[in-house]
Amino acid sequence: MLEGKHLLHAERSLGPAHWLLVLLLVAAGPILACLGSAVREWPRIPDEDEFGLTLLTPGEYDSFQNPAWSPDGRRLAYDFASAPLPGRASFPADGEIYLLDLVTGESRQLTDNKSPDLQPDWSPDGLEIMFVRSREVTEYPSRLQLMVVDAEGGREEVLFDCPGPCLHPKWSPDGELVAFAMEDRIWTIRRDGSDLRQVSGEKVTAATYPGWSPDGRRLAYWATLDATSVAQ
């Protein structure tokens, strides 16, 4: 959470197709969640009134993923994928970054690429958006890039050509660093593409989903330790 006193995570419940959002330490306030492919096997679509949800996008739930708030809270960046890669249901065959204006309710496409663009995250000043791009759709997720695009569209920049799968980039609160998952570890890189560093320990495996503390001094991430899932 923004004050740095609470941590939101997802827990598996009632079988592999059911997930709960869990807020560690009780806190009041609205929460936005992306109900992605994990709910497509639910016996019914969750009722908005029953669960206190607000549906922001039309269509199938497993097409809209990875929502990210703009710093001013007026827009959401998300990725939209219309089809999975043949034979690899968990990997999208396409995908673009979209921006949703929460005032007008209108969405506009930000990227246009033949292979997937996924997992957007806003810079702290709201001027740029970081995301993951697949260089070749048939090789996703092995050949990926960390990309930066102007939030108003136009200029794109390659921040990092990943030597392996790199996922879930998150901008530090001061805008100087980007944390991301690569080769089962958490790494950071500077905004100018320099100073690549592994920051997660060697005892954890499958480290992913990094998240910065509001003061930028700590990183939370998901990993496995001794065959047990843990939040570090």
Side-chain angles (χ1 to χ4, degrees):
M1 305 295 281
L2 294 180
E3 80 286 358
K5 297 180 179 178
H6 307 88
L7 182 65
L8 185 68
H9 71 105
E11 280 188 3
R12 195 182 296 270
S13 174
L14 304 177
H18 296 73
W19 292 80
L20 295 175
L21 285 176
V22 179
L23 184 60
L24 301 181
L25 305 179
V26 177
I31 296 173
L32 175 78
C34 176
L35 300 180
S37 58
V39 301
R40 65 175 180 264
E41 297 179 21
W42 281 31
R44 62 183 177 85
I45 297 298
D47 182 80
E48 295 181 45
D49 294 331
E50 179 183 356
F51 290 93
L53 302 175
T54 300
L55 182 62
L56 299 177
T57 55
E60 298 295 331
Y61 276 93
D62 58 355
S63 296
F64 302 86
Q65 301 186 64
N66 301 303
W69 291 100
S70 63
D72 62 9
R74 295 171 59 88
R75 292 184 292 176
L76 281 171
Y78 63 92
D79 59 63
F80 170 78
S82 61
L85 196 63
R88 306 178 73 181
S90 61
F91 300 144
D94 59 8
E96 304 295 347
I97 306 300
Y98 285 76
L99 300 184
L100 171 64
D101 188 312
L102 295 173
V103 177
T104 66
E106 296 181 354
S107 287
R108 67 177 178 88
Q109 186 173 335
L110 185 64
T111 65
D112 186 8
N113 188 39
K114 292 182 180 180
S115 54
D117 290 338
L118 305 165
Q119 301 172 355
D121 190 55
W122 294 81
S123 63
D125 59 13
L127 298 179
E128 297 178 316
I129 293 175
M130 176 84 57
F131 64 96
V132 173
R133 168 167 289 174
S134 175
R135 286 176 280 188
E136 296 290 341
V137 63
T138 57
E139 297 181 2
Y140 180 85
S142 61
R143 293 177 57 82
L144 303 180
Q145 296 171 308
L146 296 183
M147 301 289 299
V148 178
V149 62
D150 288 344
E152 299 307 317
R155 181 190 63 87
E156 292 186 353
E157 173 189 345
V158 178
L159 176 70
F160 183 52
D161 278 311
C162 307
C166 55
L167 300 167
H168 311 296
K170 293 295 179 183
W171 231 304
S172 65
D174 62 7
E176 294 294 321
L177 296 171
V178 174
F180 62 98
M182 181 174 67
E183 299 176 341
D184 294 333
R185 300 289 187 267
I186 302 299
W187 302 73
T188 61
I189 192 170
R190 292 197 173 277
R191 172 60 185 85
D192 62 7
S194 66
D195 198 21
L196 177 67
R197 296 187 183 189
Q198 179 184 323
V199 295
S200 61
E202 295 295 336
K203 293 183 178 181
V204 299
T205 59
T208 188
Y209 299 110
W212 294 91
S213 63
D215 61 9
R217 300 180 63 181
R218 293 180 292 175
L219 276 169
Y221 60 92
W222 183 94
T224 58
L225 179 64
D226 296 329
T228 302
S229 298
V230 295
Q232 294 290 320

